[in-house]
Amino acid sequence: MSKLFSFSGSDNFFPGGSIYPNPKESSLFFSLGHHVDVYFPHHKRSRFSPPIVFSGERVEKKNPSIEILPDECLFEIFRRLPGGQERSSCACVSKRWLTLLSNIHRDEINDNNKGGVVSKVEDQDVEGDGYLSRVLEGKKATNVRLAAIAVGTASRGGLGKLSIRGSNSTCGVTNVGLRAISRGCPSLRVLSLWDSSSVGDQGLCEIADGCHQLEKLDLCHCPAITDKSLLAVAKGCPNLKDLTIEGCANIGNEGLQALARCCPNLKAISIKDCPLIRDQGIVSMLSSASFTLTKIKLQALNITDVSLAVIGHYGKAVTDLSLISLPNVSEKGFWVMGNGHGLQKLKSFAVTSCRGVTDLGLEAVGKGCPNLKQLCLHKCAFLSDKGLVSFAKTASSLESLQLEECHRITQFGFFGSLLNCGAKLKAFSLVNCYGIKDLNLGLPSVLPCKSLRSLSIRNCPGFGDASLAALGKLCPQLEHVELSGLHGISDAGFLPLLETREADLVKVNLSGCVNLSDKAVCIMADLHGWTLEMLNLEGCKISDASLVAIAKNCQLLSDLDVSKCAITDSGIAALARSNQIKLQILSMSGCSKVSDKSMPSLLKLGQTLLGLNLQQCKAISSSAVDLLVEQLWRFPFIKDLLLDFESR
């Protein structure tokens, strides 16, 4: 900064002028808003009497003003202030002073207390690592707030995390604001820029020049940032560990190649919708960070099978891999990746909308990733039963399998994967798979899948009673069961599932199973009530009889949803009379037969409730709800009660 002014110690001041190379930059700082990071002294300003000037017979009082001093003089004064509190106080005086203070480099501060005097003001936002975190969103994202943060956090632990989301439409964040951060916050380690169209290469280059401790960089929809910025980050921030780039149309291969060369500690990359990034950039990054890169997410990119082949060969440290919407990747890419024998440490693999996921490709992945524990397949249109079963046979370490909108998967693939999976499979999820048909397969007499603890089948219209009955025999150790939106499920299929249990149910979601009745719920409460913690019966064909059975048997139940059910005031009263049940969440949305008569029962239940949903209970009046709210808030131990009801 001294060189900027052409001034040092014994030299004469530079005659006049502004500290800004571009005089328009100072206009980018606007007046201070509320809640900025500046220190306000607790004492009042001291009064002073202005000098008296005698001029003939007139006696004039002249107010001396420090504002007549040029920027260079004020700069030298500010950098000699004894501590951060004093500089923060000065920043409150005017926009000009804040501007000057925010342009002082930390190494230009001549602070006599820099040797270790602890500030008297304790910051309540100091995190465990000793740094501060700030988030600016929408209208609050302005240059002046960044300047205030740069000055105010310097003496209070130092800024460690900064997130800028959106920007003020009239006076948003620009390169000037980032320059203030770079000069006042050398401790910055995490920077997120989302939807910041006014921030360009100059601002990010300033960050790279002043914030050498940067470890995480998140750039989302920043069209003015190009490879030039990443080149500067690569040179100035060698400790970078986490990189996210999304929707940055002007970032390409050159930037990624520079980061690959200069950032040896890179552990995680996420790149989405960047049309200039192709195989060259991905290949350079993966080959250079072969032993450090653990997490990779590639989405909507113009990469080919070459990138997947490099992942399969060089991904020696990769544990999490996510590939989404890669239209130019074929079956060959997945086959080569699986046979590259480099993904020995891969534990989690997620694929969405990639036409290259075929039977052959998935089988190769199963063979080449011996430690794979979690597989998520979404919209894999070319995957069939044969590939899924082959994968299940080879993936011996698999613990969780999720299939969504894989319409070529049928009953044979579903049960075949359960029969052939390893002994470690704990969770299976099937969502919106329209190829499932309710067939009586006549499963052979085989050893059951006793490792499976959690099963989720949602919105698969072909899944019915025959499938559910077979599932009960095959998976006797289920504890968490979700069967939502299955109109083909009735008591005839659900009861065998209950009766073949070797383990007791803990969480059950039956929402949208419109053909389940009181009989199934009462038997479930009788057989598994003593372990049941969560129960969702939304839309089921139940009445007060189910609530009576729940109140009698479900001592540990804390979350109950009976929305859109034919329950009445009598059922709610049965819950309230139970001295065992201690509900925390109760949802009764759309229960048209529950009226104001249930208010005393709800008040009693409210002694333990944290959430209560009364939406669209048309028989309950607004006045009754208002009275209930008033009475519930009197309980001293209720801290976070949610009352959600239809406004009338």
Side-chain angles (χ1 to χ4, degrees), residues 585-604:
I585 304 295
L586 175 60
S587 181
M588 302 160 42
S589 175
C591 294
S592 58
K593 296 182 179 181
V594 177
S595 68
D596 291 354
K597 296 180 180 179
S598 291
M599 292 302 105
S601 300
L602 291 175
L603 181 61
K604 184 177 179 181

Side-chain angles (χ1 to χ4, degrees), residues 309-610:
V310 173
I311 292 175
H313 183 73
Y314 288 100
K316 301 183 185 302
V318 175
T319 59
D320 295 85
L321 177 60
S322 179
L323 305 175
I324 304 171
S325 300
L326 303 178
N328 298 324
V329 173
S330 67
E331 177 185 73
K332 181 180 178 181
F334 282 91
W335 185 87
V336 174
M337 182 178 70
N339 285 284
H341 303 294
L343 296 174
Q344 299 294 307
K345 295 184 179 180
L346 187 65
K347 296 181 179 179
S348 176
F349 185 34
V351 186
T352 299
S353 300
C354 291
R355 64 184 183 89
V357 179
T358 62
D359 296 344
L360 183 63
L362 187 61
E363 184 179 0
V365 170
K367 292 179 180 179
C369 306
N371 293 303
L372 187 64
K373 294 184 178 181
Q374 181 176 356
L375 176 66
C376 303
L377 301 176
H378 184 200
K379 294 184 177 180
C380 296
F382 297 99
L383 178 66
S384 70
D385 296 336
K386 180 182 177 181
L388 184 61
V389 174
S390 298
F391 171 81
K393 290 179 180 179
T394 57
S396 58
S397 298
L398 193 67
E399 296 180 0
S400 175
L401 178 59
Q402 300 177 33
L403 303 176
E404 184 172 355
E405 295 187 48
C406 298
H407 300 309
R408 294 187 66 184
I409 300 299
T410 70
Q411 222 82 343
F412 295 97
F414 173 65
F415 284 102
S417 59
L418 288 175
L419 289 170
N420 291 279
C421 69
K424 297 182 179 180
L425 187 66
K426 297 179 181 178
F428 198 119
S429 177
L430 201 64
V431 181
N432 294 327
C433 293
Y434 296 152
I436 300 291
K437 304 297 180 182
D438 197 38
L439 303 174
N440 194 347
L441 300 179
L443 295 176
S445 179
V446 294
L447 293 176
C449 181
K450 290 193 174 184
S451 62
L452 196 68
R453 296 290 185 272
S454 176
L455 176 67
S456 177
I457 302 176
R458 290 183 285 141
N459 301 322
C460 297
F463 198 93
D465 288 339
S467 303
L468 193 59
L471 193 62
K473 298 177 182 179
L474 187 60
C475 306
Q477 296 289 339
L478 286 175
E479 296 177 356
H480 302 167
V481 176
E482 180 179 9
L483 306 172
S484 60
L486 305 182
H487 295 178
I489 297 296
S490 68
D491 295 350
F494 190 63
L495 290 178
L497 178 71
L498 296 176
E499 294 166 352
T500 54
R501 299 294 84 228
E502 294 179 7
D504 291 294
L505 297 174
V506 178
K507 295 182 179 180
V508 178
N509 184 351
L510 303 173
S511 61
C513 294
V514 295
N515 293 313
L516 284 180
S517 69
D518 288 325
K519 180 180 179 181
V521 176
C522 290
I523 293 177
M524 177 174 58
D526 183 51
L527 295 178
H528 303 276
W530 69 286
T531 58
L532 206 58
E533 297 178 3
M534 190 278 287
L535 179 59
N536 189 335
L537 301 172
E538 179 183 357
C540 295
K541 192 167 57 178
I542 65 168
S543 64
D544 293 337
S546 292
L547 294 187
V548 172
I550 291 171
K552 179 181 178 182
N553 298 290
C554 302
Q555 304 176 16
L556 299 179
L557 191 67
S558 61
D559 188 337
L560 175 62
D561 191 338
V562 289
S563 300
K564 301 177 183 178
C565 295
I567 61 172
T568 68
D569 298 326
S570 299
I572 304 300
L575 288 177
R577 285 195 300 268
S578 174
N579 295 323
Q580 300 176 345
I581 195 168
K582 306 292 181 183
L583 286 177
Q584 295 183 355
I585 304 295
L586 175 60
S587 181
M588 302 160 42
S589 175
C591 294
S592 58
K593 296 182 179 181
V594 177
S595 68
D596 291 354
K597 296 180 180 179
S598 291
M599 292 302 105
S601 300
L602 291 175
L603 181 61
K604 184 177 179 181
L605 291 170
Q607 296 180 16
T608 59
L609 282 179
L610 298 176

Side-chain angles (χ1 to χ4, degrees), residues 80-261:
R80 286 173 169 79
L81 290 175
Q85 292 183 5
E86 288 76 8
R87 285 187 293 275
S88 186
S89 299
C90 290
C92 300
V93 173
S94 68
K95 178 182 68 177
R96 180 192 177 200
W97 286 27
L98 173 61
T99 304
L100 286 168
L101 284 160
S102 66
N103 278 276
I104 300 177
H105 280 285
R106 291 292 299 272
D107 55 6
E108 292 176 323
I109 295 175
N110 183 13
D111 193 347
N112 295 327
N113 292 333
K114 197 160 55 176
V117 176
V118 180
S119 172
K120 295 180 181 179
V121 178
E122 296 182 359
D123 191 275
Q124 299 299 321
D125 297 327
V126 176
E127 298 182 345
D129 57 4
Y131 291 123
L132 303 178
S133 178
R134 293 290 181 267
V135 178
L136 297 181
E137 298 188 45
K139 295 181 179 180
K140 294 182 179 181
T142 61
N143 284 334
V144 69
R145 288 185 181 273
L146 287 181
I149 288 172
V151 176
T153 59
S155 62
R156 300 157 67 189
L159 184 66
K161 299 179 182 179
L162 175 62
S163 179
I164 301 172
R165 302 174 182 175
S167 187
N168 192 303
S169 58
T170 57
C171 51
V173 170
T174 66
N175 297 327
V176 176
L178 289 189
R179 182 174 66 183
I181 293 296
S182 72
R183 298 187 176 187
C185 307
S187 60
L188 187 67
R189 291 197 270 183
V190 179
L191 175 63
S192 296
L193 296 175
W194 294 2
D195 300 312
S196 301
S197 58
S198 299
V199 174
D201 290 333
Q202 183 183 352
L204 202 55
C205 287
E206 291 276 2
I207 292 292
D209 185 56
C211 304
H212 301 300
Q213 299 182 39
L214 192 68
E215 296 179 356
K216 182 177 181 179
L217 179 61
D218 185 355
L219 304 175
C220 181
H221 297 290
C222 299
I225 291 179
T226 70
D227 285 332
K228 181 181 178 181
S229 295
L230 294 191
L231 290 171
V233 170
K235 182 179 179 181
C237 307
N239 294 323
L240 192 68
K241 297 179 181 179
D242 193 319
L243 175 67
T244 299
I245 306 174
E246 179 178 340
C248 296
N250 292 309
I251 291 179
N253 297 323
E254 187 180 358
L256 294 188
Q257 290 170 342
L259 291 171
R261 290 191 304 268

